[in-house]
């Protein structure tokens, strides 16, 4: 099956940070693996934001609290079916 650009980006994120998790995802049904990978990508990016706020270049100069507030807004938008980027 052909992967979307978002799925390719998520797999690259997993390969870089958690290759064992990427390998283990092969044990899941494809639809479950895709959903789990999407959740992983969301959590991983949020974790990076908190661990190293300088990694989120799209919001330069913002405090960690402001960036967390922004991610809360993004979560609300995601639940409303309005993702901001290919990994959401």
């Amino acid at each position: 099956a052909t992967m979307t650009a978002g799925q390719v980006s998520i797999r690259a994120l997993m390969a870089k940070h958690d290759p064992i998790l990427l390998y283990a995802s092969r044990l899941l049904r494809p639809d479950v693996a895709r959903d789990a990978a999407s959740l992983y990508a969301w959590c991983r990016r949020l974790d990076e934001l908190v661990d190293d706020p300088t990694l989120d270049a799209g919001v330069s100069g913002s405090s960690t609290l402001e960036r967390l507030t922004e991610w809360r807004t993004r979560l609300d938008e995601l639940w409303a079916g309005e993702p901001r980027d290919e990994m959401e």
Side-chain angles (χ1 to χ4, degrees), residues 71-85:
W71 273 81
R72 172 58 197 216
T73 300
R74 289 178 77 151
L75 180 60
D76 292 341
E77 291 170 357
L78 184 58
W79 279 115
E82 301 171 2
R84 287 196 190 181
D85 67 33

Side-chain angles (χ1 to χ4, degrees), residues 1 3 10-11 17 25 28 32 40 52-53 58 63 72 77 83:
M3 291 193 297
I10 290 169
R11 287 181 65 83
H17 295 284
S25 69
L28 302 172
V32 173
Y40 166 83
D52 186 358
S63 71
R72 172 58 197 216
E77 291 170 357

Side-chain angles (χ1 to χ4, degrees), residues 7 13 18 23 25-26 35-37 53 55 60 64 71-72 78 81 87:
Q7 290 168 324
L13 184 71
D18 291 294
Y23 180 77
S25 69
R26 296 177 186 178
D35 292 346
L55 293 176
S60 61
T64 300
W71 273 81
R72 172 58 197 216
L78 184 58
M87 284 201 271

Side-chain angles (χ1 to χ4, degrees), residues 49-54 61-70:
L49 174 93
V50 173
D51 289 348
D52 186 358
T54 63
S62 298
S63 71
T64 300
L65 181 57
E66 289 170 323
R67 291 178 183 185
L68 288 172
T69 300
E70 176 64 19

